Amino acid sequence: VGGLDLVRRQLVRADATVDSLVGRVVRRDPEARPVAPGRLAEHAEVTPAESQDHELQRRDVSGHYAGPVTRVLALAGDVLAAVGLQAILGWVAFFCLGLVFDADAPSGLARWVGVVAIGSAFIGYFWIPVALFGRTLAMAVLGIAVVRRDGGVAGGRRAFVRALILPLSLLVPVLMLGMVLGKERRTLHDAASGTVEVYDWGEREAE
């Protein structure tokens, strides 16, 4: 856990650095962006604006909006995991078809079964863990979670919409610029589902 926390802290520093650089480029007032969503803002520690440009002081970041570096790395890890899951389910689907037909399945049917298996694996990977636990596997490792805009639990419906729209964000990366330019750091799939991503480390601190 100690090594993992060290990695998380370095990523939070990278997040703060990227936010600071982008803020300078677009001449953004640091005070104009909230540090946390809704009810989570009541418990979030706020670092003075003048110190944010230089160093991230030791503080509890749980509940704060997650930064772009952490989010991109978590998304990359989840996509790789989803692709692995797709490969496994695809193989299982074709194996089952072989048992049913006792030979190679008709090409048209096999193609559709493959598409359904792959699509279901991808959407399921990003839907079910978020609906049940508020995070995917890579999110859990890097210490971030999905919540509603007001800071509440995202729930199954929002998680499903988010998973359904996510492929579009991946296909058109410009739709994810909101994580560095937006007030609430929301991408297309965040906006469509009414969710945001926040750091969630429990009681541990970042420095």
Side-chain angles (χ1 to χ4, degrees):
V1 176
L4 180 58
D5 281 348
L6 178 61
V7 171
R8 289 176 175 178
R9 289 169 183 166
Q10 296 308 311
L11 290 177
V12 171
R13 284 183 177 275
D15 289 333
T17 299
V18 171
D19 273 337
S20 176
L21 290 175
V22 172
R24 290 177 182 177
V25 171
V26 300
R27 298 183 179 180
R28 179 174 59 209
D29 178 6
E31 301 295 337
R33 300 178 88 201
V35 297
R39 66 188 70 176
L40 297 181
E42 301 173 4
H43 308 288
E45 292 185 21
V46 179
T47 301
E50 60 270 15
S51 67
Q52 289 181 358
D53 291 339
H54 302 289
E55 62 178 350
L56 186 65
Q57 294 180 340
R58 189 171 185 86
R59 59 192 173 102
D60 180 10
V61 297
S62 290
H64 288 230
Y65 288 111
V69 178
T70 302
R71 290 188 60 175
V72 167
L73 289 179
L75 182 57
D78 280 326
V79 168
L80 289 176
V83 168
L85 180 61
Q86 289 173 329
I88 294 173
L89 290 185
W91 180 87
V92 170
F94 285 117
F95 178 76
C96 292
L97 281 177
L99 292 178
V100 171
F101 288 94
D102 197 25
D104 292 338
S107 59
L109 176 61
R111 187 179 304 111
W112 278 109
V113 169
V115 169
V116 171
I118 290 173
S120 299
F122 188 90
I123 293 175
Y125 178 88
F126 285 96
W127 170 33
I128 296 174
V130 173
L132 295 178
F133 310 112
R135 73 206 73 203
T136 59
L137 177 61
M139 286 181 179
V141 171
L142 296 184
I144 57 179
V146 178
V147 298
R148 296 198 312 258
R149 291 182 66 190
D150 64 359
V153 176
R157 182 179 63 83
R158 286 185 173 84
F160 179 73
V161 173
R162 196 171 191 276
L164 204 59
I165 302 299
L166 177 59
L168 183 57
S169 294
L170 293 173
L171 291 173
V172 188
V174 70
L175 298 175
M176 293 197 285
L177 286 178
M179 70 173 67
V180 292
L181 298 176
K183 183 178 180 181
E184 296 177 290
R185 291 80 161 172
R186 296 201 297 163
T187 61
L188 175 66
H189 50 282
D190 291 321
S193 59
T195 61
V196 295
E197 290 188 25
V198 298
Y199 296 114
D200 185 6
W201 293 24
E203 298 299 322
R204 296 191 297 281
E205 298 176 328
E207 70 172 3

